[in-house]
Amino acid sequence: AAHLKLALFIDLTCPQSKRAFETLVGGVYKQIEDEAPGLLSVTLYNWVSPWTRGSLEVNEVALAVHDASPEHFLGFCSEAFHAQSRSGDPRSMTSADITKEA
């Protein structure tokens, strides 16, 4: 079992969550896993932001992806965060954008 457990609460439409996710998944977790396999366990929790347009829909789709195909969950999260970058403003995500990412 992992010695260190990290809980990360993310909103897939939040720029700060994007930064935290990319830092953790893209760097810190990989580095720790390379140096000490199994030391760190990360649990992601979807957090719905009442201030960000599309937050509920994106996070509901993420939960559906996790339930239907857990091995694609991290990939979906990455794609949802990349959709933020493409639009320039996470609040501009539409239902069509969300569906396309799923």
Side-chain angles (χ1 to χ4, degrees), residues 38-54:
L39 176 67
L40 178 64
S41 168
V42 179
T43 303
L44 295 178
Y45 293 95
N46 289 55
W47 181 262
V48 176
S49 169
W51 304 282
T52 309
R53 182 174 160 220

Side-chain angles (χ1 to χ4, degrees), residues 19-32:
R19 222 176 357 258
F21 178 84
E22 289 175 346
T23 299
L24 179 67
V25 174
V28 175
Y29 181 77
K30 183 178 178 346
Q31 182 179 356
I32 292 171

Side-chain angles (χ1 to χ4, degrees), residues 3-83:
H3 291 83
L4 301 173
K5 295 182 181 185
L6 177 66
L8 183 63
F9 291 80
I10 58 171
D11 173 6
L12 296 172
T13 61
C14 171
Q16 290 80 11
S17 288
K18 177 181 187 252
R19 222 176 357 258
F21 178 84
E22 289 175 346
T23 299
L24 179 67
V25 174
V28 175
Y29 181 77
K30 183 178 178 346
Q31 182 179 356
I32 292 171
E33 207 40 42
D34 287 347
E35 293 176 15
L39 176 67
L40 178 64
S41 168
V42 179
T43 303
L44 295 178
Y45 293 95
N46 289 55
W47 181 262
V48 176
S49 169
W51 304 282
T52 309
R53 182 174 160 220
S55 176
L56 176 64
E57 293 84 358
V58 173
N59 285 293
E60 284 181 341
V61 171
L63 291 174
V65 168
H66 183 272
D67 286 349
S69 186
E71 67 276 10
H72 293 108
F73 178 71
L74 283 180
F76 175 80
C77 291
S78 293
E79 286 301 315
F81 283 129
H82 282 72

